Amino acid sequence: MSSAQPNRLIRCASPYLRQHAYNPVDWYPWGEEAFERARREDKPILLSVGYASCHWCHVMERESFEDEAIAALMNAHFVCVKVDREERPDVDAVYMQAVQAMTGHGGWPLTVFLTPEGAPFYGGTYFPPEPRAGLPAFRQVLEAVATAWRTRREAIQEAAQTLLAHLEAAARRWAEGELSPGLLDRSYAELARQFDSRYGGFGGAPKFPQAMTLRFLLRYGWRAQRAEALQMVHFSLIQMAHGGIYDQLGGGFHRYAVDARWRIPHFEKMLYDNALLAWTYLEAWQLTREPEFRWVLEQTLTYLLREMRHEAGAFFSAQDADSEGQEGLYYTWTLEELRAVLGPHALRAAAYYGVSREGNFEGRNVLFRPFTEAEFAALQGLEASAWARERETIRTALLETRTLRRAPERDEKILASWNGMAVLALAQAGRALGRPDWLEAAQQAGRFLWTHLVQGGRVYRSWTHGERLELGFLEDYAWLGLAALSLYEATWDRMWLERARTLAEALCAEFWDTALGGFCDTLADHDPHLPIRPRERTDQATPAGASVAAELLCRLAAIWDEPLWRERARETAASVAELMGRYPGAFGHLLGVSDALIYGLREVVLLGPAGELAPLRQIVDQAYLPDLVLAHGPGENTQAEVIPLLRGRRMLGGRPTAYVCRNFTCLEPTTDPERFRAQLGLSASEAL
């Protein structure tokens, strides 16, 4: 096939698949057409999984998929299938587990060889065009697999069936345990053991932000009054904010750092990272009132709204690591470039951002901050206020110049689950910081999602350029449910609460496996070509869908008085309790849910006209209350309320009233903001 002729991927909506439409490889999208040809021609399937902002996916495309000789080998011996992992996380999950079982590691690009029935028998990640660093050349891999398929078919089939049996057993294997305070203590102790006390975070390079783990530690430190846990979070968030993993000019976070000090990032920017980290910095600010946490939160959300937003309100998926064919070019600087932009301010800016003549990344400089603001002002002999003004002048000038560069490509898929995360972050931050513009942005995105990605009681995974694609997965239902609940708490529009309930009912009906006693990640009838129905229970780059579903059910159970939902949440957490205690870094989100299940949720009802509730509402909006369930009623005729949590409540003396309950016990209702604050266990100093 000539590279001038598009292959089948030209008809796909996925930006990632369309990037490969002019490869000389005879690519198929995942589906029956590819499997039918594999069966008819008795060829193995070569499955390649990646995503649009993946740097090494682009490298393998340039080196191998655009090479005519390598493409000819692929076309002659295999049916070649390309998958966008962001559209099809189920396909990615099944075959990533297979490669991890075969090789002990995984990553993207993911390269897997399958029988015509979809059973994996060999795989890896990136393969170079020539042997390198212990890796065989991709050409060698292709020739070896093709030869084995012809001469050792029986052994291949046997190995594939053995691997499938292993994957099926792993999906059924549980580590049941007790949900108790001791579980949380053990999890904290293990995380403390793994903590990097020198640079923050966990483990060494490469280093990922691990927002879910940090949020659990914040909650644990708050609950148990463990200053050490809170210090781990504080130190990690400050180190990340000062590092190159954080975009010092434009806001927002890159995917991960390739070094232990957070200074050199892998430059792709993902919607989910920025939504989850915005949520983390918000909660950390609510608890500590650390000004830098608020700054990072504000700049991260500003970045999402400026660079990642569709004109109709939803959010795009990612930005590439590369621009103009070079990794990180858009974000890095030379000392000469600083001088050209800043003139007399250049040397001070270079000292502030760690810029040197030789650079710290391929002859250029990733900007980071080696000093705190106070340290830098003192070193420069400046008043703090004067330096703050100069710093903003420098940052603005550099950012304006950067916008003139060719920006990295943007993956303009709109994914349900990732947008749910962004809506939640915007809604909660808008409440906490009194930002009606953020609340409106959250509502606009929510309206987009329910217009384009929810239909007939079912959620769809993605929307691209007017086309709705793929039925949704457990995480899509769960995150849209949490987003709707957050919009209800922010606006008190009951439409959002009803939508959250509808999604909770749907995920229980469509994803709960009664025989196995747990959530599956896919609809029962979703894809006949997958050899197993995936059931991921550990956090990956985002929280496991089952853990998000458990949180949604736990919180909605308190509002709607649905014991079955709470029991489903408890079963989900208890089923892996033993694993959580041993490997807490893989279960950060579910550990937070476990805290709620162990200690119970704090149910707060505010009654009265919305416009008169501000003195009471501001208290719950601004405080760190991770165990909060919030409901609002007008305060009249509550006996007829359809929402059980509101039923029978009444205003005192016709005045706005607050109720605080936990574990079936309620405190006396109050109209006094200070008494309400005390009932919540807050001090006066925790007010803005």
Side-chain angles (χ1 to χ4, degrees):
M1 177 181 293
S2 167
S3 60
Q5 298 174 321
N7 56 49
R8 294 167 190 79
L9 301 187
I10 196 67
R11 301 192 297 269
C12 297
S14 162
Y16 174 66
L17 297 186
R18 290 175 69 91
Q19 285 176 2
H20 292 265
Y22 286 90
N23 295 164
V25 178
D26 188 15
W27 289 118
Y28 285 77
W30 178 272
E32 174 57 24
E33 185 182 7
F35 281 90
E36 190 280 328
R37 181 184 166 192
R39 292 190 298 266
R40 173 166 38 86
E41 298 184 5
D42 191 32
K43 285 183 176 179
I45 290 171
L46 192 169
L47 173 66
S48 177
V49 183
Y51 55 102
S53 58
C54 166
H55 170 70
W56 286 102
C57 300
H58 297 320
V59 171
M60 192 165 178
E61 179 187 17
R62 288 195 300 268
E63 293 178 340
S64 294
F65 302 151
E66 292 179 353
D67 182 280
E68 296 281 351
I70 292 177
L73 266 178
M74 295 170 66
N75 295 337
H77 299 293
F78 305 96
V79 175
C80 302
V81 174
K82 243 313 166 190
V83 166
D84 182 341
R85 70 171 292 262
E86 294 168 356
E87 279 192 344
R88 294 301 304 266
D90 56 333
V91 174
D92 178 65
V94 169
Y95 295 110
M96 181 64 75
Q97 284 183 321
V99 168
Q100 288 171 336
M102 286 186 278
T103 68
H105 65 274
W108 300 277
L110 183 67
T111 307
V112 198
F113 295 89
L114 320 177
T115 69
E117 294 72 40
F121 63 88
Y122 182 73
T125 54
Y126 164 78
F127 289 107
E130 303 297 335
R132 185 191 310 159
L135 293 173
F138 190 45
R139 183 193 307 270
Q140 293 173 319
V141 171
L142 296 172
E143 291 171 343
V145 172
T147 298
W149 183 256
R150 290 194 309 271
T151 63
R152 298 171 51 222
R153 180 74 60 88
E154 187 175 333
I156 284 177
Q157 296 284 8
E158 183 177 338
Q161 292 309 310
T162 299
L163 180 57
L164 272 186
H166 168 78
L167 296 179
E168 290 170 349
R172 288 172 166 77
R173 193 177 301 129
W174 301 92
E176 194 92 26
E178 181 185 1
L179 295 181
S180 67
L183 166 64
L184 306 180
D185 294 336
R186 291 193 301 276
S187 299
Y188 162 69
E190 178 59 23
L191 290 171
R193 189 186 67 79
Q194 299 173 17
F195 182 66
D196 181 351
S197 59
R198 188 173 184 185
Y199 300 122
F202 304 89
K207 187 171 279 186
F208 291 80
Q210 297 193 38
M212 296 79 80
T213 299
L214 293 173
R215 288 187 61 245
F216 163 67
L217 284 174
L218 193 70
R219 186 169 185 154
Y220 178 82
W222 164 81
R223 170 84 67 197
Q225 295 296 293
R226 294 291 294 267
E228 304 95 327
L230 298 178
Q231 179 57 26
M232 287 162 63
V233 178
H234 189 281
F235 183 62
S236 297
L237 293 181
I238 289 291
Q239 290 294 104
M240 287 160 51
H242 285 198
I245 192 174
Y246 177 67
D247 181 352
Q248 299 293 336
L249 302 182
F253 288 85
H254 300 290
R255 179 70 192 90
Y256 61 89
V258 301
D259 65 321
R261 304 178 70 176
W262 305 106
R263 289 188 175 179
I264 308 301
H266 186 51
F267 290 92
E268 61 189 343
K269 280 184 169 181
M270 313 300 296
L271 175 59
Y272 60 77
D273 278 323
N274 285 284
L276 292 171
L277 286 166
W279 191 13
T280 305
Y281 276 88
L282 168 64
E283 291 190 329
W285 174 80
Q286 287 176 309
L287 184 59
T288 68
R289 292 300 193 262
E290 167 64 57
E292 187 148 13
F293 294 164
R294 178 169 179 162
W295 166 258
V296 172
L297 164 68
E298 290 174 336
Q299 293 303 305
T300 298
L301 293 181
T302 297
Y303 153 71
L304 290 180
L305 292 166
R306 182 185 67 238
E307 297 187 36
M308 296 291 282
R309 195 180 188 200
H310 185 278
E311 61 183 7
F315 293 90
F316 300 125
S317 295
Q319 287 176 311
D320 274 6
D322 302 7
S323 59
E324 301 180 52
Q326 186 173 334
E327 184 182 7
L329 181 63
Y330 183 74
Y331 299 101
T332 54
W333 298 80
T334 65
L335 184 58
E336 290 70 26
E337 287 171 338
L338 257 62
R339 285 178 170 147
V341 175
L342 299 174
H345 297 283
L347 290 181
R348 185 166 286 160
Y352 179 67
Y353 286 125
V355 173
S356 64
R357 186 174 300 280
E358 62 275 13
N360 59 16
F361 179 76
E362 298 180 0
R364 299 176 64 80
N365 289 272
V366 177
L367 304 187
F368 66 97
R369 288 184 284 151
F371 306 103
T372 67
E373 300 302 314
E375 288 170 343
F376 188 77
L379 285 170
Q380 297 289 317
L382 297 170
E383 292 290 333
S385 58
W387 164 239
R389 290 191 296 272
E390 183 177 355
R391 180 196 65 209
E392 192 56 22
T393 298
I394 289 169
R395 190 184 72 87
T396 301
L398 291 175
L399 181 60
E400 289 177 352
T401 300
R402 196 177 79 177
T403 61
L404 302 177
R405 298 174 176 175
R406 180 179 172 184
E409 293 293 321
R410 186 171 61 189
D411 183 343
E412 297 193 346
K413 289 194 310 292
I414 290 171
L415 296 174
S417 61
W418 299 6
N419 270 264
M421 300 174 203
V423 168
L424 183 150
L426 279 164
Q428 294 202 359
R431 284 174 53 202
L433 299 185
R435 291 288 299 265
D437 55 330
W438 290 353
L439 292 178
E440 176 51 35
Q443 291 178 83
Q444 189 176 4
R447 289 191 291 267
F448 181 102
L449 296 173
W450 260 264
T451 298
H452 296 289
L453 286 171
V454 182
Q455 186 172 28
R458 282 198 157 181
V459 175
Y460 286 78
R461 173 66 175 174
S462 63
W463 184 95
T464 306
H465 302 305
E467 186 176 354
R468 185 173 57 238
L469 305 168
E470 303 291 349
L471 287 171
F473 303 96
L474 176 64
E475 66 171 10
D476 297 306
Y477 283 71
W479 275 113
L480 287 197
L482 282 183
L485 182 56
S486 294
L487 287 171
Y488 166 70
E489 292 172 336
T491 66
W492 285 335
D493 184 340
R494 290 203 185 179
M495 171 189 70
W496 294 113
L497 184 59
E498 293 288 350
R499 286 173 169 174
R501 176 178 183 148
T502 298
L503 290 174
E505 291 171 340
L507 67 85
C508 284
E510 301 277 8
F511 295 94
W512 186 264
D513 189 316
T514 303
L516 295 175
F519 283 110
C520 294
D521 293 327
T522 63
L523 296 160
D525 59 350
H526 189 202
D527 191 334
H529 301 297
L530 278 178
I532 63 171
R533 191 179 179 194
R535 304 176 75 216
E536 184 59 70
R537 287 158 290 172
T538 59
D539 295 339
Q540 304 296 322
T542 59
S547 72
V548 185
E551 179 178 356
L552 177 65
L553 294 179
C554 181
R555 294 178 64 193
L556 287 179
I559 297 174
W560 292 104
D561 189 24
E562 290 282 359
L564 176 62
W565 290 354
R566 191 178 191 282
E567 181 56 25
R568 291 273 164 89
R570 190 204 64 78
E571 286 183 57
T572 299
S575 69
V576 290
E578 184 64 29
L579 290 174
M580 280 196 282
R582 282 188 280 156
Y583 310 106
F587 296 95
H589 195 89
L590 194 55
L591 281 165
V593 179
S594 299
D595 175 276
L597 293 165
I598 291 165
Y599 291 104
L601 291 169
R602 189 183 334 222
E603 301 160 3
V604 172
V605 171
L606 299 181
L607 297 179
E612 299 176 18
L613 278 166
L616 297 173
R617 167 141 204 177
Q618 286 175 358
I619 293 169
V620 292
D621 282 354
Q622 295 168 359
Y624 177 68
L625 297 168
D627 56 353
L628 176 71
V629 170
L630 180 64
H632 166 256
E636 301 172 356
N637 194 28
T638 58
Q639 292 296 340
E641 268 288 355
V642 296
I643 300 175
L645 187 58
L646 300 178
R647 201 171 294 149
R649 317 282 192 190
R650 61 184 180 85
M651 289 193 295
L652 300 182
R655 298 167 60 192
T657 304
Y659 287 78
V660 179
C661 305
R662 186 198 293 273
N663 293 332
F664 312 105
T665 301
C666 296
L667 303 176
E668 287 189 21
T670 183
T671 62
D672 177 28
E674 291 310 310
R675 188 174 184 189
F676 178 44
R677 187 188 307 280
Q679 289 180 341
L680 293 172
L682 304 173
S683 64
S685 65
E686 289 178 84
L688 280 179

Coordinates of all heavy atoms in Angstrom, one line a residue, residues 174 176 179 507-508 512 517-519 545-558 562-577 580 589-598 601:
W174 N -9.9 -12.7 44.7 CA -10.2 -11.7 45.7 C -9.3 -11.8 46.9 O -8.8 -12.9 47.2 CB -11.7 -11.7 46.1 CG -12.6 -11.6 45.0 CD1 -13.2 -12.6 44.3 CD2 -13.1 -10.4 44.4 NE1 -14.0 -12.1 43.3 CE2 -14.0 -10.7 43.3 CE3 -12.9 -9.0 44.6 CZ2 -14.6 -9.8 42.5 CZ3 -13.5 -8.1 43.9 CH2 -14.4 -8.5 42.8
E176 N -10.3 -10.8 50.2 CA -11.3 -10.3 51.1 C -10.7 -10.0 52.5 O -9.7 -10.6 52.9 CB -12.4 -11.4 51.4 CG -13.6 -10.9 52.0 CD -14.7 -10.5 51.1 OE1 -14.7 -11.0 49.9 OE2 -15.5 -9.6 51.4
L179 N -13.0 -4.1 56.7 CA -12.9 -2.7 56.7 C -12.9 -2.2 58.1 O -13.9 -2.2 58.8 CB -14.1 -2.1 55.9 CG -14.2 -2.4 54.4 CD1 -15.4 -1.7 53.8 CD2 -12.9 -2.1 53.7
L507 N -25.5 1.8 36.6 CA -24.3 1.1 36.8 C -24.5 -0.2 37.6 O -23.8 -1.2 37.4 CB -23.2 2.0 37.3 CG -23.2 2.6 38.7 CD1 -22.7 1.6 39.7 CD2 -22.4 3.8 38.7
C508 N -25.4 -0.2 38.5 CA -25.7 -1.4 39.3 C -26.4 -2.5 38.4 O -26.1 -3.6 38.5 CB -26.6 -1.1 40.5 SG -25.8 -0.3 41.8
W512 N -22.8 -4.7 37.5 CA -22.6 -5.6 38.7 C -22.7 -7.0 38.3 O -23.7 -7.4 37.6 CB -23.6 -5.2 39.8 CG -23.3 -6.0 41.1 CD1 -23.9 -7.2 41.4 CD2 -22.4 -5.7 42.1 NE1 -23.4 -7.6 42.7 CE2 -22.5 -6.7 43.1 CE3 -21.5 -4.7 42.3 CZ2 -21.7 -6.7 44.2 CZ3 -20.7 -4.6 43.4 CH2 -20.9 -5.6 44.4
G517 N -19.9 -11.2 42.4 CA -20.0 -10.3 43.5 C -19.1 -9.1 43.3 O -18.4 -8.7 44.3
G518 N -19.2 -8.4 42.2 CA -18.4 -7.2 42.0 C -18.7 -6.5 40.7 O -19.4 -7.1 39.9
F519 N -18.1 -5.4 40.5 CA -18.3 -4.6 39.3 C -17.3 -5.1 38.2 O -16.2 -5.4 38.4 CB -18.0 -3.1 39.5 CG -19.2 -2.4 40.2 CD1 -19.0 -1.9 41.5 CD2 -20.4 -2.2 39.5 CE1 -20.0 -1.3 42.1 CE2 -21.4 -1.5 40.2 CZ -21.2 -1.1 41.5
G545 N -12.4 2.2 38.0 CA -13.9 2.4 37.9 C -14.7 1.9 39.0 O -15.6 2.6 39.5
A546 N -14.3 0.8 39.5 CA -15.1 0.2 40.7 C -15.0 1.1 41.9 O -15.9 1.2 42.7 CB -14.5 -1.2 41.0
S547 N -13.8 1.7 42.1 CA -13.7 2.6 43.3 C -14.5 3.9 43.1 O -15.1 4.4 44.1 CB -12.2 2.9 43.5 OG -11.7 3.8 42.5
V548 N -14.6 4.4 41.9 CA -15.4 5.6 41.7 C -16.9 5.2 41.8 O -17.7 6.0 42.4 CB -15.1 6.2 40.3 CG1 -15.9 7.5 40.1 CG2 -13.6 6.4 40.1
A549 N -17.3 4.0 41.3 CA -18.7 3.6 41.5 C -19.0 3.4 43.0 O -20.1 3.8 43.4 CB -18.9 2.3 40.8
A550 N -18.1 2.9 43.7 CA -18.3 2.7 45.2 C -18.5 4.0 45.9 O -19.4 4.2 46.8 CB -17.1 1.9 45.8
E551 N -17.7 5.1 45.5 CA -17.9 6.4 46.1 C -19.3 6.9 45.8 O -20.0 7.5 46.6 CB -16.8 7.3 45.7 CG -17.0 8.7 46.3 CD -16.0 9.7 45.9 OE1 -15.0 9.4 45.2 OE2 -16.1 10.9 46.3
L552 N -19.7 6.8 44.5 CA -21.0 7.4 44.1 C -22.1 6.7 44.9 O -23.0 7.3 45.4 CB -21.2 7.2 42.6 CG -22.5 7.6 42.0 CD1 -22.7 9.1 42.2 CD2 -22.6 7.2 40.6
L553 N -22.0 5.4 45.0 CA -23.1 4.6 45.6 C -23.1 4.9 47.1 O -24.2 5.1 47.7 CB -22.9 3.1 45.4 CG -23.1 2.6 44.0 CD1 -22.9 1.1 43.9 CD2 -24.5 3.0 43.4
C554 N -22.0 5.0 47.7 CA -21.9 5.3 49.2 C -22.5 6.7 49.5 O -23.3 6.8 50.4 CB -20.4 5.3 49.6 SG -20.1 5.6 51.3
R555 N -22.2 7.7 48.7 CA -22.8 9.0 48.9 C -24.2 9.1 48.6 O -25.0 9.7 49.4 CB -22.0 10.1 48.2 CG -20.5 10.1 48.6 CD -19.7 11.1 47.8 NE -20.2 12.5 48.0 CZ -19.9 13.5 47.2 NH1 -19.0 13.3 46.2 NH2 -20.4 14.7 47.5
L556 N -24.6 8.5 47.5 CA -26.1 8.6 47.1 C -26.9 7.8 48.1 O -28.1 8.1 48.3 CB -26.3 8.2 45.7 CG -25.8 9.1 44.6 CD1 -26.0 8.5 43.2 CD2 -26.5 10.5 44.7
A557 N -26.4 6.7 48.6 CA -27.1 5.9 49.5 C -27.6 6.7 50.7 O -28.7 6.5 51.3 CB -26.3 4.7 50.0
A558 N -26.8 7.6 51.2 CA -27.2 8.5 52.3 C -28.3 9.5 52.0 O -29.1 9.8 52.8 CB -25.9 9.3 52.8
E562 N -30.8 4.2 50.3 CA -30.8 2.9 49.5 C -29.7 2.0 50.1 O -28.6 2.1 49.8 CB -30.4 3.2 48.0 CG -31.5 3.9 47.2 CD -32.6 3.0 46.8 OE1 -32.5 1.8 47.1 OE2 -33.5 3.4 46.1
P563 N -30.1 1.1 51.0 CA -29.2 0.2 51.7 C -28.4 -0.6 50.7 O -27.2 -0.9 51.0 CB -30.0 -0.6 52.6 CG -31.3 0.2 52.8 CD -31.5 0.9 51.6
L564 N -29.0 -1.1 49.6 CA -28.3 -1.9 48.7 C -27.1 -1.2 48.1 O -26.1 -1.8 47.9 CB -29.3 -2.3 47.5 CG -28.6 -3.2 46.4 CD1 -28.1 -4.5 47.0 CD2 -29.6 -3.4 45.3
W565 N -27.2 0.1 47.8 CA -26.1 0.8 47.2 C -24.9 0.9 48.2 O -23.8 0.7 47.8 CB -26.5 2.3 46.9 CG -27.5 2.3 45.7 CD1 -27.9 1.3 44.9 CD2 -28.1 3.5 45.2 NE1 -28.7 1.7 44.0 CE2 -28.9 3.1 44.1 CE3 -28.2 4.8 45.6 CZ2 -29.7 3.9 43.4 CZ3 -28.9 5.7 44.9 CH2 -29.7 5.3 43.8
R566 N -25.3 1.1 49.5 CA -24.2 1.1 50.5 C -23.5 -0.3 50.6 O -22.3 -0.4 50.7 CB -24.7 1.6 51.8 CG -23.6 1.9 52.8 CD -24.1 2.4 54.1 NE -23.0 2.9 55.0 CZ -22.2 2.2 55.6 NH1 -22.3 0.8 55.6 NH2 -21.2 2.7 56.3
E567 N -24.3 -1.3 50.5 CA -23.8 -2.6 50.6 C -22.9 -3.0 49.4 O -21.9 -3.6 49.5 CB -24.9 -3.7 50.7 CG -24.5 -5.1 50.9 CD -23.5 -5.3 52.0 OE1 -23.6 -4.6 53.0 OE2 -22.7 -6.3 52.0
R568 N -23.3 -2.5 48.2 CA -22.5 -2.7 47.0 C -21.1 -2.0 47.2 O -20.1 -2.5 46.8 CB -23.2 -2.2 45.8 CG -24.4 -3.1 45.4 CD -24.0 -4.2 44.5 NE -25.0 -5.3 44.4 CZ -26.0 -5.3 43.5 NH1 -26.1 -4.3 42.7 NH2 -26.9 -6.3 43.5
A569 N -21.2 -0.8 47.7 CA -19.9 0.0 48.0 C -19.1 -0.8 49.0 O -17.8 -0.9 48.8 CB -20.2 1.4 48.5
R570 N -19.7 -1.3 50.0 CA -18.9 -2.0 51.1 C -18.3 -3.3 50.5 O -17.2 -3.6 50.7 CB -19.8 -2.4 52.2 CG -19.1 -2.9 53.5 CD -20.0 -3.7 54.3 NE -20.4 -5.0 53.6 CZ -19.6 -6.0 53.5 NH1 -18.4 -6.0 53.9 NH2 -20.1 -7.1 52.8
E571 N -19.1 -4.0 49.7 CA -18.6 -5.3 49.1 C -17.4 -5.0 48.2 O -16.4 -5.7 48.1 CB -19.6 -5.9 48.3 CG -20.7 -6.7 49.1 CD -21.7 -7.4 48.2 OE1 -21.2 -8.2 47.3 OE2 -22.9 -7.1 48.3
T572 N -17.5 -3.9 47.4 CA -16.4 -3.5 46.5 C -15.1 -3.2 47.3 O -14.0 -3.7 46.9 CB -16.8 -2.2 45.7 OG1 -17.9 -2.5 44.9 CG2 -15.6 -1.8 44.8
A573 N -15.2 -2.5 48.4 CA -14.0 -2.2 49.2 C -13.5 -3.4 50.0 O -12.3 -3.7 50.0 CB -14.3 -1.0 50.1
A574 N -14.4 -4.1 50.6 CA -14.0 -5.3 51.4 C -13.4 -6.4 50.6 O -12.5 -7.1 51.1 CB -15.2 -5.8 52.2
S575 N -13.8 -6.5 49.3 CA -13.3 -7.6 48.5 C -11.8 -7.5 48.2 O -11.1 -8.5 47.9 CB -14.0 -7.6 47.2 OG -13.7 -6.5 46.4
V576 N -11.2 -6.3 48.4 CA -9.8 -6.1 48.2 C -9.1 -5.5 49.4 O -8.0 -4.9 49.3 CB -9.5 -5.3 46.9 CG1 -9.8 -6.0 45.6 CG2 -10.2 -3.9 47.0
A577 N -9.7 -5.6 50.5 CA -9.2 -4.9 51.7 C -7.8 -5.4 52.1 O -6.9 -4.7 52.5 CB -10.1 -5.2 52.9
M580 N -5.4 -3.8 49.8 CA -5.2 -2.4 50.0 C -4.2 -2.2 51.1 O -3.4 -1.2 51.0 CB -6.6 -1.8 50.4 CG -7.5 -1.4 49.3 SD -8.9 -0.3 49.8 CE -10.0 -1.4 50.6
H589 N -7.8 5.8 45.8 CA -9.2 6.3 45.7 C -10.1 5.4 46.6 O -10.9 5.9 47.4 CB -9.7 6.3 44.3 CG -11.0 7.1 44.2 ND1 -11.0 8.5 43.9 CD2 -12.3 6.8 44.3 CE1 -12.3 8.9 43.9 NE2 -13.1 7.9 44.1
L590 N -9.9 4.1 46.5 CA -10.8 3.2 47.3 C -10.5 3.3 48.8 O -11.4 3.1 49.6 CB -10.6 1.8 46.8 CG -11.7 0.7 47.2 CD1 -13.1 1.2 46.9 CD2 -11.4 -0.6 46.6
L591 N -9.3 3.7 49.2 CA -9.0 3.9 50.6 C -9.8 5.0 51.1 O -10.3 5.0 52.3 CB -7.5 4.1 50.8 CG -6.6 2.8 50.8 CD1 -5.2 3.2 50.6 CD2 -6.9 2.0 52.0
G592 N -10.0 6.1 50.3 CA -10.8 7.2 50.7 C -12.3 6.8 50.9 O -12.9 7.2 51.9
V593 N -12.8 5.9 50.0 CA -14.1 5.4 50.1 C -14.2 4.5 51.4 O -15.2 4.6 52.1 CB -14.5 4.6 48.9 CG1 -15.9 4.0 49.0 CG2 -14.4 5.5 47.6
S594 N -13.2 3.8 51.6 CA -13.2 2.9 52.8 C -13.3 3.7 54.1 O -14.0 3.3 55.0 CB -11.9 2.0 52.8 OG -11.8 1.2 51.7
D595 N -12.6 4.9 54.1 CA -12.7 5.8 55.3 C -14.2 6.1 55.5 O -14.7 6.1 56.6 CB -11.9 7.0 55.0 CG -12.0 8.0 56.1 OD1 -13.0 8.8 56.1 OD2 -11.2 8.1 57.0
A596 N -14.9 6.5 54.4 CA -16.3 6.8 54.5 C -17.2 5.7 55.0 O -18.1 5.8 55.8 CB -16.8 7.3 53.2
L597 N -16.8 4.5 54.6 CA -17.6 3.3 55.0 C -17.3 2.9 56.4 O -18.2 2.4 57.2 CB -17.3 2.1 54.1 CG -17.8 2.3 52.6 CD1 -17.1 1.3 51.7 CD2 -19.3 2.1 52.5
I598 N -16.1 3.1 56.9 CA -15.7 2.8 58.2 C -16.3 3.8 59.3 O -16.9 3.4 60.3 CB -14.2 2.7 58.4 CG1 -13.6 1.5 57.6 CG2 -13.7 2.6 59.8 CD1 -12.1 1.6 57.3
L601 N -20.7 8.8 56.8 CA -20.7 10.1 56.2 C -21.3 11.1 57.1 O -22.2 10.8 57.9 CB -21.4 10.0 54.9 CG -20.6 9.2 53.8 CD1 -21.5 9.0 52.6 CD2 -19.3 10.0 53.3

